[in-house]
Amino acid sequence: MCLKVLSAALLLALGVGSTASSAVLEYYVGIDSRTTPFTAPVGVGGGAYPDNPNFGRLTMLYAHGNHYHGLGTYNYSGPSATPTLNSTNANNRFPEISSLQDPLPLTPGSGVYVGKNVTKALPGVDFSNLEIQSVHSLANSGVPEIETLYRSSTNRWDGAFDTAHIHMELVSVSSPWLNVGTPTDPLAFAGGDAHLGDGNELFSFTPVLWVDGDAPGGDYWAEFRLVDESGTFADSGTFFIDVNQVPEPSTLAIVGMSLAGVLVLRKRFV
């Protein structure tokens, strides 16, 4: 585990939270209102694609300073005349691939998560606060920096979606050890999805990824999409949350003893 994560876990254990003064979270839901097509790469001939295939779709957004990054947006690839439609994009993971950041660490839970290792907001660990809100929670803040974010990309993401009945669908997981719940219900996604919120409310929703404390160590991922069950807006593309489970100390001790035994045997037969 990297020093940054260890430090964050220590701060959390000591009850020291983030002192960020901004009201801006990391993740938001919006509707893509861009109608202008993107351009095909020069390497495949350039030219404009037929349309923006993400137009009118629910979209998971990451707030990056004064603008958003669309996570897992629909897009085209290949020649503009005969494009291939993709239901996700290269930037489709938390943490973002470009950040070169390790997967989010799973740390010991409490309450309904006692005995489990879970995702949680960790001071100093980007992408770890998985709370999701409507972009409209940023409207009329009176804070210039927040208003700039809200209206960014020529108002691409600030369109109304009042009639939407938004669910977060669990598409797949990398291992049966990995589960997804909410802060109060570890089995919230047992039916395959959970109600995130409605478009006419300033909703707040936090998925919790978790494994049992004795789950094998290593990286895990869960794949999601946003779905409007009212049928008004199209589904989002798919996006992933990457996490890491560190083996329990007892497991590490057993592994260490096993390795020590192997070394002893090697010495005997050398």
Side-chain angles (χ1 to χ4, degrees), residues 2 27 36 105 119-120 160 163 171 189 205 253:
C2 67
Y27 303 106
T36 305
T119 52
K120 62 183 69 170
T163 58
V171 178
F189 281 79
F205 179 87

Side-chain angles (χ1 to χ4, degrees), residues 21-270:
S21 60
S22 172
V24 175
L25 296 173
E26 296 187 277
Y27 303 106
Y28 294 90
V29 173
I31 296 291
D32 193 348
S33 65
R34 174 181 171 132
T35 56
T36 305
F38 290 94
T39 302
V42 174
V44 293
Y49 284 122
D51 52 33
N52 171 19
N54 204 62
F55 174 75
R57 292 185 179 276
L58 293 168
T59 306
M60 179 63 71
L61 301 169
Y62 174 69
H64 188 258
N66 62 2
H67 63 283
Y68 301 107
H69 292 174
L71 298 171
T73 58
Y74 270 73
N75 70 98
Y76 288 122
S77 61
S80 59
T82 56
T84 298
L85 178 62
N86 306 295
S87 61
T88 190
N89 64 357
N91 188 51
N92 62 358
R93 310 191 84 90
F94 318 3
E96 289 185 296
I97 297 171
S98 60
S99 73
L100 302 180
Q101 183 174 317
D102 292 336
L104 301 177
L106 298 175
T107 58
S110 60
V112 295
Y113 287 100
V114 166
K116 301 172 173 57
N117 288 340
V118 305
T119 52
K120 62 183 69 170
L122 296 171
V125 180
D126 294 339
F127 303 96
S128 66
N129 184 355
L130 296 181
E131 182 180 356
I132 302 166
Q133 292 188 0
S134 165
V135 292
H136 300 305
S137 65
L138 300 175
N140 304 313
S141 69
V143 179
E145 293 82 3
I146 295 178
E147 288 296 322
T148 297
L149 171 64
Y150 180 58
R151 305 293 182 186
S152 62
S153 301
T154 320
N155 301 88
R156 179 178 177 181
W157 305 107
D158 66 359
F161 48 100
D162 290 355
T163 58
H165 187 64
I166 307 167
H167 279 235
M168 189 171 181
E169 178 185 341
L170 178 59
V171 178
S172 65
V173 292
S174 60
S175 166
W177 285 97
L178 184 63
N179 304 273
V180 185
T182 64
T184 58
D185 182 5
L187 300 179
F189 281 79
D193 69 344
H195 181 218
L196 191 151
D198 291 337
N200 63 352
E201 61 185 15
L202 300 181
F203 56 80
S204 174
F205 179 87
T206 304
V208 177
L209 280 65
W210 62 271
V211 298
D212 289 327
D214 60 354
D219 294 343
Y220 296 82
W221 54 256
E223 179 185 17
F224 301 91
R225 72 164 58 92
L226 303 176
V227 176
D228 175 15
E229 295 207 341
S230 77
T232 307
F233 300 95
D235 299 349
S236 77
T238 56
F239 52 90
F240 300 79
I241 301 178
D242 295 323
V243 298
N244 177 263
Q245 158 77 341
V246 177
E248 289 186 316
S250 58
T251 303
L252 289 173
I254 292 171
V255 172
M257 291 172 63
S258 298
L259 290 175
V262 170
L263 290 174
V264 169
L265 287 173
R266 282 184 176 177
K267 288 182 178 179
R268 286 182 179 178
F269 290 98
V270 170

